[in-house]
Amino acid sequence: MKTLIIYKSETGFTKRYAEMIEHRTSDSTLVELKKLKKKDIKEADFIFYGGPIHNNVIKGLSKFLKHHKLFDGKDVFIFGVGLEPASSDKRENVINANGLSFYHVRLYLLTGGLDFTKMSKFKKKIISIGLKAAAQKGELPNNADPSQFSSLLDRRIDMVSSDQIEKMMNVYNLVVAKRMN
């Protein structure tokens, strides 16, 4: 049984999870979304798709879901990677933002990280402006000065952990075992 792992990664966190999944599955192929071919989907029995979460939207997922007619008879696992901890509210927001209630897929939310060092100067500037605006409104913790956060813009916050994929891999292994019987 073939397993296809597709990912979109902007700062490397989603790719690391995709690689962890590849190491824990047999007969698997790892493909970046922009290199995905219909043939890859047709040949797979199990499909994983992962992408970063921005404002509850899993990046690249809509492009992946355009192939949904090829999913018949396949088990599809979706994982979104973001900073916000998984909760039932967050899960519901991601389902709604991505229209996942229309598809038969499994959704997992994983904690990734934030790498300011890979952000463009424009994105860093937008964050700085946002911090200044939040400070003017008194919305920063303990009335913090936004300049305190400027050192963060040169850091990497990494919370990727193999523990995060345990539940997903347990379900995958159960489905594989069930199909083999």
Side-chain angles (χ1 to χ4, degrees), residues 82-97:
L83 275 178
E84 190 175 336
S87 68
S88 56
D89 285 345
K90 178 66 175 178
R91 181 179 172 74
E92 191 64 31
N93 291 338
V94 170
I95 289 169
N96 291 335

Side-chain angles (χ1 to χ4, degrees), residues 119-170:
M119 283 187 184
S120 68
K121 287 181 181 181
F122 176 74
K123 282 186 179 180
K124 285 183 182 182
K125 184 69 174 171
I126 295 296
I127 291 170
S128 295
I129 291 168
L131 287 170
K132 286 177 186 173
Q136 288 175 347
K137 294 178 185 177
E139 295 175 346
L140 292 179
N142 299 326
N143 294 319
D145 181 355
S147 64
Q148 294 173 313
F149 294 94
S150 63
S151 65
L152 288 177
L153 298 180
D154 295 321
R155 292 189 51 214
R156 176 178 162 93
I157 301 164
D158 187 345
M159 295 180 286
V160 172
S161 166
S162 61
D163 295 343
Q164 294 274 323
I165 64 169
E166 278 309 309
K167 183 177 180 183
M168 182 171 40
M169 297 316 302
N170 288 340

Side-chain angles (χ1 to χ4, degrees), residues 29 33 51 97 120 159 180:
T29 304
L33 178 63
S120 68
M159 295 180 286
M180 296 186 93

